[in-house]
């Protein structure tokens, strides 16, 4: 790659959020390096929805279009590598990858989150295909189908209430003792929503398309789609290593302009919010790119 002594900004993470920030900065004539390891969290998802002009595209195709358009701008460079460390130095930041070291005046963290999935056989293979986390991303495609919610307690009640907008054929699988209060159980019963408290052994599927839930007692139930909430954690410790503040839920804390608690460091995309969508990632990237450019202008003027 073309060597640059000190970049205006290094963007760690080159998916939708990172590429959106890169485009804003490229159009601002800034010298930018985007570093990405090619492992997006949605790589198993067959289609991306709810994004104007690109509804139904595969995530890989969407990312390829974005990358090609960003790299039209001559001040943007893209590196396939993994960042292992980033730290502050005088007048900026130093970023180490497996293979090289770079310097920049500013950093943008577009590092995302990773899903910690339950230890249920077949769950990981179905995740993002027929085991879903967001009805706004995928609910239309499984509308009116026999649908299960794997959840419990108040969260399970609120989740199944949400999904009832897309289908009436619903079952709540608590995967153990029911933790809903009596009023919630009665409300679900009035809506003809069954609660199954048997422990789940396996999701039976073909190429990620679930067909049955098998329980530990050997019984099975036919199902066509499942919603579940995964536990998430930051994909890397870079933000923590830089001493960026985090929210109580583990997201990188940012201002409405995507600024972290560390001056010169921005964070965007899934690492900053539970609202995981392409449209939100692109929006946060554009905001960060414009804000970072203004910050450089103020420093240079």
């Amino acid at each position: 790659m073309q060597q640059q002594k000190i970049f205006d900004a290094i963007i760690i993470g080159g998916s939708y959020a990172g590429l959106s920030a890169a485009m804003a900065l490229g159009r601002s004539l800034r010298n930018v390096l985007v570093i990405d390891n090619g492992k997006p969290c949605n790589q198993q998802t067959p289609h991306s929805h709810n994004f104007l002009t690109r509804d139904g595209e595969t995530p890989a195709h969407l990312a390829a279009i974005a990358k090609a358009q960003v790299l039209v701008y001559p001040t943007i460079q893209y590196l396939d590598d993994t960042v292992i460390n980033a730290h502050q130095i005088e007048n900026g930041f130093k970023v180490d990858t497996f293979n090289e070291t770079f310097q920049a005046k500013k950093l943008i963290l577009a590092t995302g989150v990773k899903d910690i999935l339950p230890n249920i056989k077949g769950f990981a293979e179905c995740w993002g295909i027929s085991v879903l986390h967001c009805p706004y991303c995928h609910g239309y495609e499984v509308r009116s189908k026999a649908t299960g919610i794997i959840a419990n307690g108040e969260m399970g009640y609120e989740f199944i209430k949400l999904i009832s907008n897309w289908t009436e054929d619903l079952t709540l699988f608590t995967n153990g003792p029911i933790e809903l209060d009596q009023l919630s159980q009665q409300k679900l019963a009035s809506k003809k929503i069954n609660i199954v408290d048997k422990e789940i052994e396996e999701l039976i599927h073909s190429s990620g398309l679930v067909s049955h839930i098998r329980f530990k007692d050997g019984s099975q139930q036919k199902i066509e789609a499942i919603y579940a909430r995964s536990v998430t954690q930051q994909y890397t410790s870079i933000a923590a290593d830089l001493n960026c503040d985090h929210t109580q839920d583990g997201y990188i804390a940012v201002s409405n302009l995507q600024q972290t608690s560390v001056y010169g460091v921005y964070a965007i995309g899934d690492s900053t919010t539970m609202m995981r969508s392409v449209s939100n990632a692109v929006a946060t990237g554009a905001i960060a790119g414009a804000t970072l450019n203004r910050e450089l202008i103020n420093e240079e003027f």
Side-chain angles (χ1 to χ4, degrees), residues 257-271:
L257 297 177
Q258 305 303 133
Q259 298 156 311
T260 72
S261 60
V262 176
Y263 183 78
V265 179
Y266 293 73
I268 56 179
D270 292 354
S271 64

Side-chain angles (χ1 to χ4, degrees), residues 44-214:
Q44 189 165 284
T45 302
H47 301 282
S48 176
H49 293 284
N50 217 25
F51 188 50
L52 286 172
T53 77
R54 294 296 175 183
D55 190 47
E57 292 276 10
T58 66
H61 187 212
L62 196 61
I65 294 170
K67 182 179 177 182
Q69 291 183 347
V70 166
L71 291 181
V72 167
Y73 296 94
T75 59
I76 306 296
Q77 297 186 54
Y78 192 100
L79 176 66
D80 294 306
D81 206 340
T82 297
V83 173
I84 56 175
N85 183 51
H87 55 273
Q88 285 186 288
I89 58 174
E90 186 177 1
N91 298 321
F93 301 89
K94 181 177 286 188
V95 174
D96 299 314
T97 73
F98 279 136
N99 300 301
E100 299 180 71
T101 297
F102 304 96
Q103 291 186 34
K105 300 173 185 176
K106 308 289 181 182
L107 284 184
I108 297 181
L109 306 180
T111 46
V113 294
K114 54 185 173 183
D115 297 294
I116 310 302
L117 304 179
N119 186 26
I120 297 173
K121 185 178 179 181
F123 192 103
E125 291 81 358
C126 295
W127 182 245
I129 301 173
S130 60
V131 177
L132 313 169
H133 79 283
C134 173
Y136 298 102
C137 299
H138 308 292
Y140 186 84
E141 284 64 44
V142 296
R143 65 194 182 281
S144 303
K145 291 188 176 183
T147 299
I149 311 294
I150 300 178
N152 209 342
E154 182 180 358
M155 190 271 282
Y157 177 78
E158 292 298 328
F159 203 178
I160 206 161
K161 182 168 69 172
L162 173 65
I163 303 305
S164 69
N165 181 76
W166 284 267
T167 180
E168 295 180 352
D169 192 349
L170 281 169
T171 304
L172 179 63
F173 298 98
T174 60
N175 195 27
I178 298 171
E179 297 173 1
L180 283 75
D181 59 43
Q182 285 299 316
L183 187 61
S184 296
Q185 293 184 54
Q186 291 168 8
K187 184 66 173 180
L188 294 184
S190 73
K191 297 289 186 180
K192 298 181 180 180
I193 297 173
N194 292 325
I195 302 176
V196 176
D197 63 358
K198 292 185 283 189
E199 292 187 26
I200 299 171
E201 176 72 26
E202 179 183 2
L203 304 185
I204 299 172
H205 68 95
S206 176
S207 300
L209 295 174
V210 67
S211 61
H212 294 80
I213 295 178
R214 177 183 291 142

Side-chain angles (χ1 to χ4, degrees), residues 224-266:
E224 296 175 281
I226 294 172
Y227 287 90
R229 293 267 169 82
S230 69
V231 176
T232 61
Q233 65 182 42
Q234 292 292 321
Y235 188 80
T236 77
S237 65
I238 292 171
D241 295 341
L242 288 166
N243 294 316
C244 296
D245 289 345
H246 288 65
T247 70
Q248 187 175 359
D249 294 324
Y251 297 104
I252 304 172
V254 292
S255 71
N256 60 356
L257 297 177
Q258 305 303 133
Q259 298 156 311
T260 72
S261 60
V262 176
Y263 183 78
V265 179
Y266 293 73

Side-chain angles (χ1 to χ4, degrees), residues 35-47:
I35 306 174
D36 187 77
N37 65 5
K39 298 177 181 178
C41 68
N42 66 349
Q43 58 187 323
Q44 189 165 284
T45 302
H47 301 282

